[in-house]
Amino acid sequence: MDVIWGFLGHMVHAGGRLRFAKLSAVAKLVLVIPHSNAGEERVFSMVRKNKTDFRNSLSVDGTLMSLLTVKLANPESTPCHRWEPPKDLMKAAKGATMNYNRYHSKN
């Protein structure tokens, strides 16, 4: 289909003007419109799978958003349970845990 519209977009009158300039511009815009909303439906499905009746307290701004971010950032070939955090993130997390434990063990 794109070959046909490409051909029509380059047809010219005898004077050198494009014959179907507006029509080919409209066709190019129409051809880039997504034909489905499968991506959006996939996100809603992920939310439904993660926020169940047993885990209904997951807030959209907190844990649920973090879960979705990790799942969407990693393609299916790399499931989230195989994700390895960067070393600097692990170091920061361990430091925060040590500070938390130190503070709460004194009280």
Side-chain angles (χ1 to χ4, degrees), residues 60-106:
V60 175
D61 294 337
T63 308
L64 182 60
M65 184 173 9
S66 298
L67 286 170
L68 292 175
T69 300
V70 170
K71 286 184 177 193
L72 291 172
N74 295 304
E76 290 297 322
S77 61
T78 310
C80 60
H81 67 275
R82 291 188 185 158
W83 177 72
E84 292 187 29
K87 294 197 183 295
D88 59 333
L89 177 64
M90 289 301 296
K91 185 176 180 180
K94 286 179 182 179
T97 302
M98 287 176 55
N99 288 337
Y100 177 87
N101 290 337
R102 196 174 318 132
Y103 176 78
H104 289 284
S105 67
K106 293 179 183 177

